[in-house]
Amino acid sequence: MPGPRSWTRAFDDLSQGWRQRSLWGYLGWQDIKQRYRRSVLGPLWISISMAVIATAMGILYGALFNEDIKTFLPYVATGLLIWNFIQGCILEGSEVFIANEGLIRFLPAPLSLHVYRLVWRQVLFFAHNVIVWVILMIIFPHPLGWMSLMALPAFAVLVLNGGWITILSGILATRFRDIPPIVASLTQLVFFMTPIVWSYDRLQENPAVAERARIAELNPVLHFIEILREPMLGDAITWRHWIVVGVITVVGWAVALVCMRNYRARVAYWV
Amino acid sequence: MTDPTIDIRDARVDFPIFDAKSRSLKKAVLGKAGGRIGTESKVPIIEALRDINLSLRKGARVALVGHNGAGKSTLLRLMSGIYEPTRGQAVVQGKVAPVFDLAVGMDPEITGLDNILIRGLFLGMTKKQMESRVDDIAAFTELGDYLDMPLRTYSTGMRVRLALGVVTSIDPEILLLDEGIGAVDAQFLAKARDRLNELVERSGILVFASHSDEFLADLCDTAIWMEHGTIREHGPLREVLHHYKGHDVLAELERR
């Protein structure tokens, strides 16, 4: 039998967790229902609060940057929608094992089960928020075409990345408890560095700041937002973003798998 | 299907205590309760289990006895696969059903039925398999219409019934029970005992940590005496209990 630090055990964990999808599928739904238990509108609140924030921010920043509301409001809403998914994976990902301490210490189950459950929950949140996008697309028609279908593989890639982020930050944060607060404040910062409530293209049109604006490309989150936002708004696909995201996905999973191999068995001791 | 086995060789379980760094531990503390606290490394560690060698085969009914903190629960969790040994090996084959902390894995906000389903899924059952067992569990636990109520309305004893109902219904091969199932009434206890006995006869291994001599005498035939994270004695229940308590407990129980 292979020892605790082996690739076999790490991949076994991932595949066993995947096999228990009826369990994490159910638990993920339960998490969402739990949050809105006894409220009249239930999970509809997810979509409503998203709509309120997106509208308010769209109007506010639209006025500040003198943007056309017809394009800017859907732009902000779509950006926020994607950002919420990414942020959910990062923030909750760092707490994934800490939050499930009881289950980990008292019930034998693959570690990846908690990861799948978390990412699945974020997918469900995303699905609720997409309603806002649909409504905006009806009010402010965009030139959606066949290329918009690229949104599906783009979202799949985002989900895939949610997996490694959760594993990596989850394991590290369980060992070093200072990581969750660091992650929380960094995420807040990244939100403002990412073109969600401001437009990257608009900055480049201004020759005074165009050079400096290129720094924004160093922010990896920008590329993740763009691969999904472009097809969802009917914009032309920029393949540069896909390449960057592809590289991050491969490197991220490689690091997460090494971490999984070496520290999977330690998590139960650390929680 | 192969028979369930538990094989543990030279296993040890060390817990790093990261937030205890500031405490000055000049030398290893050896008290009556708890495992040994090691100080060799920078991070203090608790040697919860040391030099564990154990081999259990089908039909084993083992009682775990020892002081609080002697390592009974940790040993159970080592057997369940929750903790992989820091050193040595622990190979467990067979479907494990642990009943440790009754509150864990149970959601107080959802109904008893939903909790049965979740527990079952955690123990490796499918949704369909659990649905076909619900009637059986409802009959055994005698909870009836209460199963449609949220779990937060249950008493401790009722929760124990639910947890025992689930683990005994899923045909586990290795049943690991930690103390705490004493919260049920005597009548149900007798019923649970029969069911557990049946289960062990049909298939498998039972390991039971408890301070109740009566319960141990009913369910087990061998015993392991844990002390300071090591196995002090492993043998027939009567002898081990005699040495542990200092008097022949089983004989006294029989006399009653």
Side-chain angles (χ1 to χ4, degrees):
Chain A
M1 191 168 142
R5 286 191 178 196
S6 73
W7 289 111
T8 331
R9 299 282 288 271
F11 284 110
D12 270 0
D13 188 292
L14 286 173
S15 68
Q16 260 177 37
W18 179 251
R19 244 175 280 143
Q20 286 185 288
R21 52 190 172 275
S22 56
L23 175 59
W24 51 259
Y26 187 84
L27 290 172
W29 263 118
Q30 209 65 49
D31 289 340
I32 288 201
K33 283 201 241 159
Q34 193 78 326
R35 219 168 281 195
Y36 299 95
R37 188 163 297 275
R38 295 200 210 169
S39 79
V40 181
L41 292 178
L44 205 58
W45 276 114
I46 302 169
S47 321
I48 294 172
S49 61
M50 165 79 195
V52 170
I53 293 173
T55 313
M57 281 202 167
I59 291 172
L60 172 66
Y61 284 86
L64 285 178
F65 295 126
N66 199 17
E67 299 268 5
D68 181 6
I69 202 78
K70 283 202 278 300
T71 52
F72 198 64
L73 190 54
Y75 172 86
V76 169
T78 312
L80 265 181
L81 169 74
I82 305 166
W83 168 255
N84 275 354
F85 176 82
I86 297 173
Q87 176 188 269
C89 288
I90 297 176
L91 282 187
E92 293 184 32
S94 63
E95 303 260 3
V96 63
F97 302 125
I98 301 171
N100 287 307
E101 178 193 346
L103 288 177
I104 292 174
R105 289 179 58 217
F106 290 100
L107 282 175
L111 217 49
S112 60
L113 180 93
H114 309 288
V115 176
Y116 291 123
R117 171 185 179 179
L118 185 142
V119 177
W120 170 236
R121 184 168 68 227
Q122 299 305 326
V123 171
L124 290 175
F125 273 127
F126 185 85
H128 279 92
N129 287 337
V130 160
I131 298 169
V132 178
W133 174 79
V134 173
I135 293 170
L136 283 172
M137 285 300 113
I138 294 168
I139 303 174
F140 307 107
H142 274 63
L144 298 179
W146 282 110
M147 275 318 258
S148 300
L149 285 178
M150 280 302 281
L152 295 175
F155 185 61
V157 169
L158 247 63
V159 171
L160 200 60
N161 278 278
W164 74 256
I165 290 173
T166 307
I167 293 176
L168 188 65
S169 64
I171 292 179
L172 289 178
T174 309
R175 170 65 184 84
F176 302 103
R177 297 299 168 100
D178 297 299
I179 288 180
I182 294 174
V183 168
S185 48
L186 274 184
T187 330
Q188 199 117 52
L189 188 63
V190 171
F191 174 78
F192 291 106
M193 284 167 24
T194 312
I196 296 167
V197 291
W198 51 273
S199 165
Y200 179 54
D201 293 340
R202 192 53 45 94
L203 284 186
Q204 292 209 300
E205 283 165 18
N206 181 349
V209 291
E211 197 61 32
R212 267 174 285 160
R214 294 194 69 84
I215 299 172
E217 293 253 348
L218 291 175
N219 170 11
V221 179
L222 173 141
H223 304 280
F224 283 94
I225 298 263
E226 287 296 358
I227 61 164
L228 186 51
R229 186 167 56 189
E230 283 172 351
M232 282 180 86
L233 294 176
D235 293 341
I237 308 271
T238 315
W239 295 105
R240 184 178 72 248
H241 299 311
W242 278 88
I243 294 168
V244 175
V245 166
V247 171
I248 294 176
T249 310
V250 172
V251 174
W253 265 107
V255 176
L257 283 173
V258 170
C259 210
M260 186 80 174
R261 180 191 104 108
N262 288 347
Y263 304 113
R264 178 191 52 80
R266 300 302 298 161
V267 171
Y269 287 84
W270 290 343
V271 289
Chain B
M1 200 164 61
T2 51
D3 284 343
T5 56
I6 296 179
D7 281 298
I8 300 177
R9 270 198 301 124
D10 300 322
R12 70 188 282 147
V13 169
D14 294 334
F15 285 99
I17 306 299
F18 297 116
D19 49 3
K21 239 176 265 179
S22 52
R23 281 170 51 192
S24 73
L25 293 161
K26 295 256 159 52
K27 56 184 182 214
V29 182
L30 235 158
K32 191 156 182 146
R36 212 164 56 170
I37 303 172
T39 46
E40 303 96 73
S41 62
K42 269 188 218 141
V43 179
I45 49 168
I46 290 181
E47 298 173 347
L49 292 178
R50 281 172 296 138
D51 312 319
I52 301 294
N53 282 289
L54 194 60
S55 171
L56 300 178
R57 292 287 169 270
K58 188 183 169 182
R61 311 139 156 266
V62 188
L64 272 184
V65 296
H67 290 294
N68 298 121
K72 300 189 296 292
S73 298
T74 312
L75 182 58
L76 280 175
R77 285 192 222 160
L78 183 71
M79 290 174 177
S80 74
I82 291 172
Y83 294 143
E84 289 174 30
T86 325
R87 250 168 261 162
Q89 260 200 335
V91 184
V92 179
Q93 272 163 342
K95 191 159 80 178
V96 180
V99 185
F100 298 159
D101 192 313
L102 294 158
V104 171
M106 296 253 187
D107 188 336
E109 290 299 325
I110 60 178
T111 65
L113 276 180
D114 285 339
N115 271 299
I116 290 179
L117 181 68
I118 291 184
R119 259 284 150 122
L121 289 173
F122 257 113
L123 297 173
M125 307 295 283
T126 65
K127 227 174 189 161
K128 256 204 195 106
Q129 285 173 316
M130 279 322 286
E131 272 157 13
S132 66
R133 282 166 165 81
V134 160
D135 288 339
D136 173 49
I137 297 171
F140 170 67
T141 57
E142 299 166 349
L143 286 172
D145 291 339
Y146 239 94
L147 285 177
D148 292 320
M149 294 284 129
L151 196 79
R152 67 187 140 85
T153 62
Y154 285 38
S155 71
T156 316
M158 288 161 83
R159 287 175 197 217
V160 180
R161 285 177 175 227
L162 197 77
L164 276 180
V166 176
V167 288
T168 52
S169 74
I170 62 164
D171 295 317
E173 293 165 306
I174 299 171
L175 194 56
L176 306 172
L177 301 178
D178 207 345
E179 49 214 327
I181 64 172
V184 290
D185 50 67
Q187 192 201 343
F188 184 78
L189 211 56
K191 198 168 153 187
R193 205 148 50 197
D194 290 344
R195 192 149 151 141
L196 287 172
N197 266 324
E198 223 176 86
L199 196 84
V200 177
E201 254 149 54
R202 210 170 344 146
S203 61
I205 298 174
L206 170 78
V207 185
F208 181 27
S210 175
H211 293 289
S212 151
D213 301 327
E214 217 175 335
F215 217 10
L216 289 177
D218 274 330
L219 281 173
C220 308
D221 50 20
T222 52
I224 293 173
W225 173 9
M226 296 295 296
E227 197 176 61
H228 300 305
T230 53
I231 296 179
R232 167 99 182 247
E233 195 180 346
H234 182 188
L237 182 70
R238 179 175 223 122
E239 278 174 35
V240 176
L241 267 186
H242 190 158
H243 297 153
Y244 171 55
K245 298 258 166 152
H247 52 100
D248 196 345
V249 184
L250 291 197
E252 283 162 29
L253 277 177
E254 278 158 23
R255 235 175 287 145
R256 252 186 253 161

